[in-house]
Amino acid sequence: MAIWNPIKWLLGLLSLDLGIDLGTANTLVNVRGKGIVINEPSWVAIDKRTREPQRIGAAAKAMVGRAPANMVAMRPLRDGVISEFDITQAMLEYFIHKAHENSIVLFPHSRVVVGIPSGATEVEKRAVYDATMSAGAREAYMIHEPAAAAIGAGMPIDGYGNMIVDIGGGTTEIAIISMGGIVISRSLRVAGDELDQDIIEYIRSKYNLFIGEQMAEKIKIALGSAYPLKEEKTADVRGRNLITGLPEAIEVSSIEIREALAPSVQVIIDTIKDALDESPPEILADLMDSGICLAGGTSQLQGLAERLANEIRVRVWVAEDPLTCVARGCGMIFDDVEQYEGLLVGIERDPYSSGQS
C-alpha cells in the first residue's frame, strides 16, 4: 500500500497531466485541457565525446547531415522502441519541462500516459516506464498505440467491433477493439521509415544517385502514393552521383515512387488481411458497418485509403488530424481513468501479450 506523501500530492495538484506519443519520427505532448502543445521530431544532437545532448527536437533534426565534426544527430528510438535509454530520458525530460513552460510549476511532477507499440516486449515496456519516471513524472502509465489512436480518433471503444490501423514512422499498429478491449493486434515494423528507405534504394539502383533520408521523406510526401493518382506529378531529386561523386539533380514521377513503395505497402495490406482473417464472423459483420480507421502520419500517403478499400472491400477512412490521434488519445485517458483502465498496459503483465512476464 502506497504511503501518502503530502509534498508529492501538492506538486501533483500543481502539475499537468500529459499524454505523450513517443514516436520514432515525432514526439507529441498533449496537455489535459490545453491540447497538443508540443509536436517536434524525435531527434537529439549529442556531443560525440561526452554523449551529452546539445540540441533536441526540430533544432537537432535541422543538423542531420550538417552537424559539425564533434556532434552527431540521432534518433534515440527505432521501430517505436527505445534504443538509446539515456538520450531518450533526456529528450523526455526536455519535452516535459517544455510543456510546463507557461505554468506556475517550477519542478514538474506530472502524471503521464505514454503510447507504446502493441508488440513491445517486457524489457521494452520497462525501458519506457523507467525513462518516463526518470524524466520527472509522478506517475507513468502506458497504453498500446492503436488503442490510444482509436480513443483519439473518437471511435466507440466500448461498442461493437472497430478496427484501427496506426501507421507511424517506425511501426504499423493494427488492432480490432470490441467491448472495451483489444481482440486482435498486430505490430509491424514496416512504416514511414521503411518507405523512405524504399525510395533511397530505388533512386540508387535506377539512377545511381545517393540521396539522404530527409530528401527521401520530402519525395514521399510530395509524390508518394498507394493508388494511381488522378493527375500524376513530378519533382526534382537532389543527391550525389555514385559514379562521378558530384552533386546531381534528376526528375522523378509519382508513378516511379509508387513502384518503389509498392512492396512495403503490400506488406501492410497483407498484415491487415491476416488480422481480418483471424477475426470472429461477428466482428467482421461489425466492421462492414463501422469500417476501418487509418491514423498516424504515414496514413496520409496519397491513395492509401482507396487502395485498402478496393482490396478489402470495406469502407476505409482517415481520422481527422491523424498525426495527433495517439497523443490526443493518451491525454483523454485522464478524463475517465476508470473507463479506460482495461486498456492500460502494466509492466508486470500484459493482457494482450501472447507471452508471460
Side-chain angles (χ1 to χ4, degrees):
M1 183 175 178
I3 299 174
W4 183 71
N5 186 325
I7 297 177
K8 192 174 181 180
W9 175 79
L10 181 60
L11 286 173
L13 287 179
L14 297 174
S15 290
L16 304 173
D17 289 334
L18 307 179
I20 300 179
D21 176 8
L22 189 60
T24 305
N26 295 281
T27 295
L28 291 85
V29 180
N30 180 14
V31 175
R32 184 183 181 191
K34 294 183 180 180
I36 306 293
V37 297
I38 294 173
N39 180 357
E40 292 201 39
S42 301
W43 283 87
V44 180
I46 64 170
D47 185 290
K48 285 184 178 179
R49 184 176 61 84
T50 64
R51 293 185 62 81
E52 288 293 323
Q54 303 298 312
R55 298 185 187 180
I56 296 174
K61 186 176 181 181
M63 298 182 70
V64 177
R66 304 181 180 93
N70 65 319
M71 294 176 65
V72 60
M74 63 183 299
R75 291 197 296 188
L77 293 107
R78 283 289 172 184
D79 299 324
V81 296
I82 294 173
S83 58
E84 297 283 349
F85 181 85
D86 292 340
I87 298 172
T88 301
Q89 177 188 326
M91 185 177 73
L92 270 173
E93 187 173 351
Y94 169 80
F95 287 137
I96 289 174
H97 277 79
K98 189 173 182 179
H100 284 80
E101 276 183 353
N102 296 321
S103 73
I104 62 173
V105 182
L106 296 178
F107 303 101
H109 215 54
S110 302
R111 292 191 303 170
V112 178
V113 172
V114 184
I116 61 170
S118 57
T121 65
E122 295 301 322
V123 172
E124 291 164 345
K125 283 183 258 179
R126 169 62 74 173
V128 172
Y129 177 85
D130 289 346
T132 306
M133 294 298 290
S134 299
R138 176 171 102 258
E139 297 175 20
Y141 305 95
M142 294 176 291
I143 183 172
H144 286 148
E145 288 170 354
I151 296 169
M155 298 174 71
I157 63 167
D158 288 332
Y160 293 155
N162 288 278
M163 189 172 194
I164 182 86
V165 180
D166 176 31
I167 313 175
T171 60
T172 294
E173 303 289 330
I174 301 165
I176 296 176
I177 300 173
S178 178
M179 300 298 180
I182 296 177
V183 179
I184 292 173
S185 69
R186 293 284 183 276
S187 184
L188 180 67
R189 296 191 175 184
V190 175
D193 289 348
E194 191 73 19
L195 299 184
D196 293 343
Q197 289 301 317
D198 289 341
I199 293 172
I200 290 172
E201 291 301 323
Y202 182 88
I203 298 296
R204 185 206 298 263
S205 62
K206 185 169 183 178
Y207 294 102
N208 287 315
L209 190 71
F210 178 66
I211 63 173
E213 292 180 4
Q214 294 200 52
M215 175 58 69
E217 185 180 20
K218 288 179 182 177
I219 294 301
K220 178 183 67 179
I221 294 170
L223 301 182
S225 63
Y227 204 70
L229 304 176
K230 292 181 179 178
E231 187 175 334
E232 302 292 351
K233 311 171 188 176
T234 61
D236 288 335
V237 178
R238 298 174 182 176
R240 184 178 76 244
N241 188 296
L242 292 171
I243 298 174
T244 66
L246 300 175
E248 185 179 338
I250 60 169
E251 186 178 72
V252 297
S253 70
S254 53
I255 297 173
E256 292 176 290
I257 301 304
R258 186 163 57 252
E259 180 185 341
L261 302 181
S264 292
V265 170
Q266 191 60 53
V267 168
I268 293 172
I269 293 172
D270 289 343
T271 306
I272 294 172
K273 288 180 178 178
D274 288 343
L276 291 170
D277 187 49
E278 292 187 21
S279 302
E282 292 80 2
I283 285 182
L284 290 178
D286 295 339
L287 295 180
M288 294 294 290
D289 294 326
S290 61
I292 298 173
C293 177
L294 302 183
T298 308
S299 70
Q300 299 172 98
L301 183 71
Q302 300 174 81
L304 181 59
E306 291 85 349
R307 170 81 179 275
L308 277 168
N310 184 60
E311 291 213 17
I312 299 175
R313 300 179 185 177
V314 172
R315 181 175 68 94
V316 180
W317 49 285
V318 180
E320 182 180 351
D321 197 5
L323 182 64
T324 66
C325 281
V326 173
R328 284 187 282 128
C330 288
M332 290 169 66
I333 296 293
F334 294 114
D335 294 339
D336 191 344
V337 176
E338 289 186 4
Q339 178 187 355
Y340 300 119
E341 188 175 8
L343 292 172
L344 295 177
V345 179
I347 52 176
E348 295 82 20
R349 62 181 181 83
D350 177 0
Y352 308 119
S353 174
S354 57
Q356 296 181 358
S357 58

